[in-house]
Amino acid sequence: MAVIEYQHSAEDITPAQLNGFFVGWPNPPTPDVHLRLLRNSDAVMLAVDTETRQVVGFITAITDGVLAAYIPFLEVLPAYQHQGIGQTLVRRMLERLQDLYMIDLLCDTDIQSFYEPLGMYRAVGMCARNFARQSGQ
Ligand SMILES: CC(C)(COP(=O)(O)OP(=O)(O)OC[C@H]1O[C@@H](n2cnc3c(N)ncnc32)[C@H](O)[C@@H]1OP(=O)(O)O)[C@@H](O)C(=O)NCCC(=O)NCCS
């Protein structure tokens, strides 16, 4: 099993380390756009394979720094799933955000059971999507 290290900054990451994400997206962001969204997020946690130096999982948060945070992205590359990386990313991000009142995310119902052991609970939400802007370009 790969040795994974976790880091809370994308400053030293290059686009070449960001491959294979946004699985199933018809119009995915390029690695350059991916890196931009990581760097522009208020908080980020990355899982890096110490051997290949590839990023294999990431989570981001945006926050007002007073009461609220939103987690727009969590993804672990398929080949690295079911090793506890996703749980570790969420746990570390929740620790980073622990001084805030509310931490929200949207997810499908079949993944709610992934978040429950991490201390989150089910809620109902709404969203809007501009699919013409999905790639961020
Ligand atoms: C969701 C995701 C991040 C989980 O990452 P992961 O590293 O595989 O998660 P973990 O190994 O920490 O999972 C621990 C446990 O959570 C549960 N779990 C994991 N993925 C799950 C899923 N997709 N649905 C429901 N439960 C899940 C399982 O019980 C798992 O234990 P197991 O491996 O013994 O079955 C990963 O499946 C992923 O990137 N999915 C595609 C993107 C996505 O859906 N992101 C979330 C957006 S809201």
Side-chain angles (χ1 to χ4, degrees):
M1 197 186 282
V3 178
I4 304 298
E5 71 184 19
Y6 294 89
Q7 61 180 73
H8 57 75
S9 167
E11 284 314 307
D12 66 346
I13 297 295
T14 66
Q17 290 173 271
L18 295 166
N19 293 293
F21 287 104
F22 303 101
V23 171
W25 285 41
N27 194 16
T30 62
D32 289 272
V33 174
H34 188 180
L35 184 56
R36 236 173 67 222
L37 81 80
L38 293 175
R39 288 188 176 158
N40 286 354
S41 297
D42 294 308
V44 63
M45 195 63 64
L46 305 176
V48 179
D49 184 323
T50 54
E51 198 175 313
T52 65
R53 299 312 301 170
Q54 287 290 300
V55 176
V56 300
F58 75 102
I59 186 169
T60 62
I62 52 180
T63 175
D64 56 28
V66 181
L67 289 182
Y70 176 67
I71 294 178
F73 295 111
L74 166 68
E75 187 172 359
V76 174
L77 292 180
Y80 289 81
Q81 290 178 7
H82 299 290
Q83 300 176 29
I85 296 172
Q87 274 191 340
T88 302
L89 288 170
V90 175
R91 196 171 292 119
R92 289 184 182 213
M93 182 57 81
L94 293 179
E95 279 167 21
R96 287 278 305 280
L97 303 172
Q98 66 186 344
D99 292 334
L100 297 171
Y101 164 62
M102 51 191 282
I103 301 165
D104 295 352
L105 61 81
L106 287 171
C107 69
D108 293 336
T109 50
D110 62 358
I111 210 175
Q112 289 177 315
S113 59
F114 165 78
Y115 290 105
E116 276 175 329
L118 296 161
M120 303 190 80
Y121 55 85
R122 293 167 197 246
V124 177
M126 300 287 286
C127 68
R129 295 286 183 270
N130 177 359
F131 285 102
R133 300 290 305 157
Q134 190 180 60
S135 72
Q137 281 172 335

